[in-house]
Coordinates of all heavy atoms in Angstrom, one line a residue:
L17 N -18.6 20.0 7.6 CA -19.5 20.7 6.7 C -19.9 19.9 5.5 O -21.0 20.1 5.0 CB -18.6 21.9 6.2 CG -18.3 23.0 7.2 CD1 -17.4 24.1 6.6 CD2 -19.6 23.7 7.7
D43 N -24.7 5.1 -0.7 CA -23.6 4.4 -1.4 C -23.1 5.4 -2.5 O -21.8 5.6 -2.6 CB -24.1 3.2 -2.1 CG -24.4 2.0 -1.3 OD1 -23.9 2.1 -0.2 OD2 -25.1 1.1 -1.7
L45 N -23.2 8.9 -2.6 CA -22.5 9.9 -1.9 C -21.2 9.5 -1.3 O -20.2 10.2 -1.4 CB -23.4 10.6 -0.9 CG -24.7 11.3 -1.3 CD1 -25.5 11.7 -0.1 CD2 -24.4 12.4 -2.3
A62 N -1.8 3.7 -8.2 CA -1.9 3.2 -9.6 C -0.5 3.3 -10.3 O 0.0 2.4 -11.0 CB -2.9 4.1 -10.4
K82 N -25.9 -9.3 -6.0 CA -27.3 -9.5 -5.4 C -28.0 -10.7 -6.3 O -28.0 -10.6 -7.5 CB -28.1 -8.3 -5.4 CG -29.4 -8.5 -4.7 CD -30.1 -7.1 -4.5 CE -31.4 -7.2 -3.7 NZ -32.4 -8.1 -4.3
M95 N -0.3 -8.9 -7.9 CA 0.6 -10.0 -8.3 C 1.1 -9.7 -9.7 O 0.6 -9.0 -10.5 CB -0.1 -11.4 -8.4 CG -0.5 -11.8 -7.0 SD -1.2 -13.5 -7.0 CE -2.6 -13.4 -7.8
T96 N 2.3 -10.2 -10.0 CA 3.0 -10.1 -11.3 C 2.4 -11.1 -12.3 O 1.6 -12.0 -11.8 CB 4.4 -10.3 -11.2 OG1 4.8 -11.6 -10.7 CG2 5.1 -9.3 -10.1
D100 N 6.4 -19.7 -16.1 CA 7.5 -20.6 -16.2 C 8.0 -20.8 -17.6 O 7.6 -20.1 -18.5 CB 7.1 -22.0 -15.6 CG 5.9 -22.6 -16.3 OD1 5.7 -22.3 -17.4 OD2 5.2 -23.4 -15.7
A104 N 3.2 -21.0 -18.5 CA 2.2 -21.1 -17.6 C 2.5 -20.2 -16.4 O 3.6 -19.9 -16.0 CB 2.0 -22.5 -16.9
P128 N -10.4 0.7 -5.5 CA -11.2 0.8 -6.8 C -12.6 0.2 -6.8 O -13.4 0.4 -7.7 CB -10.3 0.0 -7.9 CG -8.9 0.3 -7.4 CD -9.2 0.0 -5.9
M130 N -15.0 1.1 -5.1 CA -15.9 2.2 -5.1 C -16.5 2.5 -6.5 O -17.6 2.9 -6.6 CB -15.2 3.4 -4.6 CG -15.0 3.4 -3.0 SD -16.5 3.1 -2.1 CE -15.8 2.9 -0.3
V133 N -19.4 0.3 -6.6 CA -20.5 0.9 -5.9 C -21.2 1.9 -6.7 O -22.5 1.9 -6.7 CB -19.9 1.6 -4.5 CG1 -21.0 2.2 -3.8 CG2 -19.3 0.4 -3.6
G136 N -23.5 0.3 -9.1 CA -24.7 -0.3 -8.4 C -24.5 -1.9 -8.3 O -25.4 -2.6 -7.9
S139 N -22.4 -2.4 -2.7 CA -22.7 -1.4 -1.7 C -21.6 -1.1 -1.0 O -20.6 -1.9 -0.9 CB -23.9 -1.9 -0.9 OG -24.2 -1.0 0.2
P143 N -22.2 -8.1 2.8 CA -21.3 -9.3 2.8 C -20.2 -9.2 1.6 O -20.6 -8.8 0.6 CB -22.2 -10.5 2.6 CG -23.5 -10.0 3.0 CD -23.5 -8.5 2.6
R144 N -19.0 -9.5 2.0 CA -18.1 -9.5 1.0 C -18.3 -10.5 -0.1 O -18.7 -11.7 0.2 CB -16.6 -9.7 1.5 CG -16.0 -8.6 2.4 CD -15.8 -7.5 1.5 NE -14.7 -7.7 0.6 CZ -14.4 -6.9 -0.5 NH1 -15.1 -5.9 -0.8 NH2 -13.3 -7.2 -1.2
G167 N -20.7 -6.1 -0.4 CA -20.1 -4.7 0.2 C -18.6 -4.7 0.1 O -18.0 -5.6 0.0
G170 N -18.0 -4.9 5.7 CA -19.2 -5.6 6.2 C -19.1 -5.8 7.7 O -18.1 -5.6 8.4
N178 N -10.1 -11.8 8.7 CA -9.3 -13.0 8.4 C -9.1 -13.9 9.6 O -8.6 -14.9 9.5 CB -8.0 -12.6 7.7 CG -8.2 -12.1 6.3 OD1 -9.2 -12.2 5.7 ND2 -7.2 -11.4 5.8
L180 N -11.4 -14.7 11.5 CA -12.7 -15.5 11.6 C -12.6 -16.9 10.9 O -11.9 -17.0 9.8 CB -13.9 -14.8 11.0 CG -14.2 -13.4 11.8 CD1 -15.3 -12.8 11.0 CD2 -14.7 -13.7 13.2
S181 N -13.3 -17.9 11.4 CA -13.3 -19.2 10.6 C -14.5 -19.0 9.5 O -15.2 -18.0 9.4 CB -13.8 -20.2 11.6 OG -15.2 -20.1 11.9
W182 N -14.5 -20.0 8.7 CA -15.4 -20.0 7.5 C -16.9 -19.9 8.0 O -17.6 -19.1 7.5 CB -15.2 -21.2 6.8 CG -15.9 -21.5 5.4 CD1 -16.9 -22.4 5.2 CD2 -15.8 -20.7 4.2 NE1 -17.2 -22.3 3.9 CE2 -16.7 -21.3 3.3 CE3 -15.1 -19.5 3.9 CZ2 -16.8 -20.8 2.0 CZ3 -15.2 -19.1 2.6 CH2 -16.1 -19.7 1.7
N195 N -30.6 -8.1 10.0 CA -30.7 -7.0 10.9 C -30.2 -5.7 10.2 O -30.0 -4.6 11.0 CB -29.7 -7.1 12.1 CG -30.2 -8.4 13.0 OD1 -31.2 -8.3 13.8 ND2 -29.7 -9.5 12.8
L199 N -28.6 2.7 10.7 CA -27.7 3.0 11.7 C -26.6 1.9 11.8 O -25.5 2.2 12.2 CB -28.6 3.0 13.0 CG -29.5 4.1 13.2 CD1 -30.2 4.1 14.6 CD2 -28.7 5.5 13.2
L200 N -27.0 0.6 11.5 CA -26.0 -0.4 11.5 C -24.9 -0.1 10.4 O -23.7 -0.4 10.6 CB -26.6 -1.8 11.3 CG -25.6 -3.1 11.3 CD1 -24.9 -3.1 12.6 CD2 -26.5 -4.2 11.0
T210 N -13.6 0.4 20.1 CA -13.7 -1.1 20.6 C -14.9 -1.7 20.0 O -16.0 -1.3 20.0 CB -13.6 -1.2 22.1 OG1 -14.7 -0.5 22.6 CG2 -12.4 -0.6 22.6
S225 N -29.5 -17.1 13.9 CA -29.8 -17.6 12.6 C -29.1 -18.9 12.4 O -28.2 -19.3 13.2 CB -29.3 -16.6 11.5 OG -27.9 -16.4 11.7
R230 N -20.7 -26.5 7.1 CA -19.2 -26.5 6.7 C -19.2 -26.8 5.2 O -19.8 -27.8 4.7 CB -18.5 -27.5 7.5 CG -17.0 -27.4 7.3 CD -16.2 -28.2 8.3 NE -16.6 -27.6 9.6 CZ -15.9 -26.6 10.2 NH1 -15.1 -26.0 9.4 NH2 -16.2 -26.2 11.3
P234 N -12.1 -22.9 1.6 CA -12.0 -21.9 0.6 C -10.5 -21.5 0.3 O -9.7 -21.9 1.2 CB -12.7 -20.6 1.1 CG -12.6 -20.8 2.7 CD -12.6 -22.3 2.9

Side-chain angles (χ1 to χ4, degrees):
L17 290 174
D43 285 344
L45 294 176
K82 186 177 185 298
M95 293 190 292
T96 67
D100 59 21
M130 288 298 173
V133 174
S139 177
R144 288 292 294 161
N178 292 342
L180 298 172
S181 71
W182 188 242
N195 296 275
L199 291 180
L200 180 58
T210 58
S225 59
R230 187 167 301 279

